[in-house]
Amino acid sequence: MRVVVVTGGSDGIGAEIARRLAARDGAAGGRNLALVLGARDREKLEQVAGQCAALGAQALAVPTDVADPDQCRRLIDMAEQRFGRIDVLVNNAGRSAHALFEEVPDLGWYEELMRINLWGSVWCTQAALPHLKAARGRIVAVSSLAGLIGVPGRTAYSASKFAMTGFFEALRAELKGAGVSVTIAYPGVVDTRIRYRGFNALGQEMGSSGLREEGAMTVQECARLIVDGMEARRREVVMTAKGKLGRLLKLLAPGLVEKMALAALKDEVKPL
Ligand SMILES: NC(=O)c1ccc[n+]([C@@H]2O[C@H](COP(=O)([O-])OP(=O)(O)OC[C@H]3O[C@@H](n4cnc5c(N)ncnc54)[C@H](OP(=O)(O)O)[C@@H]3O)[C@@H](O)[C@H]2O)c1
């Protein structure tokens, strides 16, 4: 029995990762997978757990706010108590944010974003580590292209995702001898509701997207790339040709990348 914990499993990429894993298990005969889904919205979590169960996997919904270290520990404890092991931890829960730094009157929500995007991953990983080592398992960290290239209008989000990148890159090296792989995923723009739910300059929910949504990657394609990377124990999954090129260009011509990022910002919907 393989046990996979997915944070942010109630919607978007996390829910799709769970359904994809359940479908793969079902196609291979089923009953060999247990999914433990953590997020705040109990109803949506249970819906996704039901979809995974219908595909043949065991699925446990654990209402969890990853901004709270006790709840992160509880999520991992529940997984271990119920299924006796943990093979994979997918640190996916996250929020977005869209604001020009000089327009932010109070930085309280910058700290809150860090607690969700960075600290939630760190707390879950700390709690799960002994189990992951025992299973010679896998860690997945869902960062963002904004965690590879600083994006204007996204100082808080970029900072949280760069921090994730740094933490998990360092941890990957520390865990090499223990046989635990760390796959960092860098999605570009994916077709989910994340931007609508992100913080605006005042720390309120955006309610609309700050980006143009046409051309976004489908959530199915994003989940497929992440699951394939996780299964192959790849170090990284950098999505989109633009993301790969931007990363390379940043080393060769950083000024050009800045100009491109600023041009993209002008083309965006105004944050407030
Ligand atoms: N979509 C994109 O374009 C994109 C691009 C790059 C990276 N990413 C990253 O991909 C990950 C998933 O994003 P998504 O697009 O799937 O977003 P989404 O559709 O908004 O889903 C976010 C998930 O995270 C959960 N979540 C949010 N705050 C939480 C908290 N405090 N505690 C526990 N769970 C929480 C949400 O559930 P509840 O609301 O029920 O808690 C939901 O299940 C995020 O880390 C995001 O930064 C997304």
Side-chain angles (χ1 to χ4, degrees), residues 244-259:
K244 287 177 192 154
L245 185 67
R247 185 188 207 186
L248 193 69
L249 262 184
K250 189 177 139 173
L251 295 175
L252 301 173
L256 182 64
V257 175
E258 263 167 32
K259 263 191 205 151

Side-chain angles (χ1 to χ4, degrees), residues 8-14 38-41 64-67 92-95 116-117 142-145 157 161 187-195 197:
S10 65
D11 205 355
I13 298 168
R40 293 163 304 169
D41 189 320
T64 306
D65 183 345
V66 296
N92 162 79
R95 270 192 82 172
I116 300 166
N117 291 2
V142 183
S143 179
S144 164
L145 290 182
Y157 186 72
K161 293 298 186 179
V189 180
V190 182
D191 183 18
T192 69
R193 300 291 295 171
I194 190 165
R195 285 164 291 279
R197 300 180 176 128

Side-chain angles (χ1 to χ4, degrees), residues 68-102:
D68 175 352
D70 292 338
Q71 294 191 40
C72 291
R73 270 191 294 275
R74 182 174 166 273
L75 169 68
I76 300 302
D77 287 350
M78 296 274 287
E80 206 279 327
Q81 280 163 25
R82 175 74 173 267
F83 299 111
R85 57 183 292 138
I86 298 174
D87 297 275
V88 183
L89 170 64
V90 182
N91 289 295
N92 162 79
R95 270 192 82 172
S96 185
H98 221 108
L100 293 172
F101 183 61
E102 64 180 2

Side-chain angles (χ1 to χ4, degrees), residues 50-64:
Q51 291 163 351
C52 295
L55 290 162
Q58 294 193 56
L60 176 67
V62 184
T64 306

